[in-house]
Amino acid sequence: MTGANQRQRRLADLRKRITGPQDAYERCRAYPCGNNTTADRGEGLNRLYCRKHVEFYRRHGSYVKRSYGAGELKPYRERAMAWLQSHRDDAEVQSAAEGVRRLYRAAGAPVEAFRLPGKSPAERAKAIWAQLRKREVDPLEVLAVWLAVDMCLRDDIQPDRHDEYRQVQAAKLIHRMAGGTHKRWEHQRANGHVEVTELHKYPVSRGQVLRVLGSSLAAACRDLSGPDC
Ligand SMILES: [Zn+2]
């Protein structure tokens, strides 16, 4: 069979999988959701979950467990930071902090949030690290995020123990620490009044960029133990 024929067949097969999901689950797996799966609705290839739960997963790193709130994580971040400061000379802390500094150094020039749409997840993740470097965020603060999520998970009576959830939770905080891009213009009107225009843009906190950020941070924190619970 020729290459073109094979491609035709693969395309036809793909089309059939999208539009005729005979072997797909009809209902979303996220209990107790009763929505049709996206495959069933002919909208995509996710055979297990509905559109709403696919979006939920992109944002939270779990199909069912919502992200921890900033307030929920705050006391853990404080404890983690206190621990890191009192252990800053330990080899495990030094090496993890060096891992964060390496991410800062490898990130290249900061990119304004306005220019991020359309860039790859890896480029957007770099922009976040570059932004942290520019704002001179202490690498220990970054490590505290990782430890805080870990401690919060250990205290949670219904935790999601998948690496992905842990990484996405840490990445969301890192993302927030990077802040956004803020612009302010003043124009003088004919009548002498000064009019101010402000524009605030934050990078979107969902999708693959969170996985990229989270797994880089996980690698830097590989040997970091943190406070005992
Ligand atoms: Zn659903």
Side-chain angles (χ1 to χ4, degrees):
M1 195 159 53
T2 67
N5 269 339
Q6 279 181 351
R7 203 156 49 239
Q8 283 288 319
R9 231 181 53 180
R10 269 206 303 273
L11 269 176
D13 187 47
L14 185 67
R15 211 165 284 133
K16 211 168 82 191
R17 280 162 62 202
I18 295 173
T19 54
Q22 292 87 346
D23 54 344
Y25 295 104
E26 285 184 2
R27 301 287 171 190
C28 176
R29 301 274 103 178
Y31 182 82
C33 181
N35 293 341
N36 292 346
T37 60
T38 57
D40 187 52
R41 296 176 55 185
E43 289 173 342
L45 281 174
N46 194 314
R47 291 144 181 265
L48 303 179
Y49 297 94
C50 71
R51 173 165 290 241
K52 190 184 91 183
H53 280 103
V54 169
E55 180 56 24
F56 189 94
Y57 164 77
R58 281 167 51 73
R59 280 178 185 276
H60 302 287
S62 164
Y63 283 104
V64 287
K65 190 167 174 67
R66 184 165 285 292
S67 290
Y68 294 125
E72 214 171 335
L73 288 166
K74 190 165 177 265
Y76 293 105
R77 282 175 82 174
E78 288 168 357
R79 262 181 64 200
M81 197 57 194
W83 183 87
L84 286 161
Q85 277 165 342
S86 62
H87 291 77
R88 61 162 68 240
D89 295 328
D90 293 7
E92 56 170 314
V93 175
Q94 297 244 331
S95 125
E98 181 49 30
V100 172
R101 278 190 290 270
R102 246 195 315 272
L103 289 166
Y104 282 8
R105 282 197 299 269
V111 183
E112 289 189 327
F114 303 95
R115 307 196 192 283
L116 289 176
K119 295 212 186 288
S120 73
E123 286 174 300
R124 282 186 286 145
K126 277 188 168 186
I128 298 284
W129 295 119
Q131 188 71 16
L132 294 182
R133 185 190 66 219
K134 185 177 158 197
R135 302 179 90 176
E136 297 180 359
V137 173
D138 182 351
L140 293 191
E141 294 277 358
V142 174
L143 301 180
V145 163
W146 180 257
L147 294 180
V149 169
D150 186 58
M151 289 154 77
C152 191
L153 276 165
R154 279 190 271 167
D155 277 357
D156 193 338
I157 49 168
Q158 284 187 306
D160 181 325
R161 297 210 179 278
H162 295 98
D163 285 348
E164 182 161 19
Y165 183 73
R166 178 188 304 263
Q167 293 178 9
V168 165
Q169 294 308 304
K172 287 181 96 76
L173 286 180
I174 299 290
H175 208 269
R176 196 172 303 144
M177 283 158 75
T181 302
H182 310 279
K183 293 195 171 196
R184 192 170 185 279
W185 300 269
E186 289 185 1
H187 344 246
Q188 181 117 36
R189 305 217 351 223
N191 61 12
H193 286 276
V194 174
E195 205 169 75
V196 177
T197 306
E198 290 187 23
L199 204 51
H200 304 283
K201 174 89 180 164
Y202 293 87
V204 182
S205 180
R206 63 159 179 265
Q208 201 56 32
V209 61
L210 297 178
R211 281 69 179 174
V212 177
L213 277 174
S215 64
S216 305
L217 183 57
C221 295
R222 203 175 36 225
D223 300 322
L224 192 60
S225 60
D228 295 321
C229 272

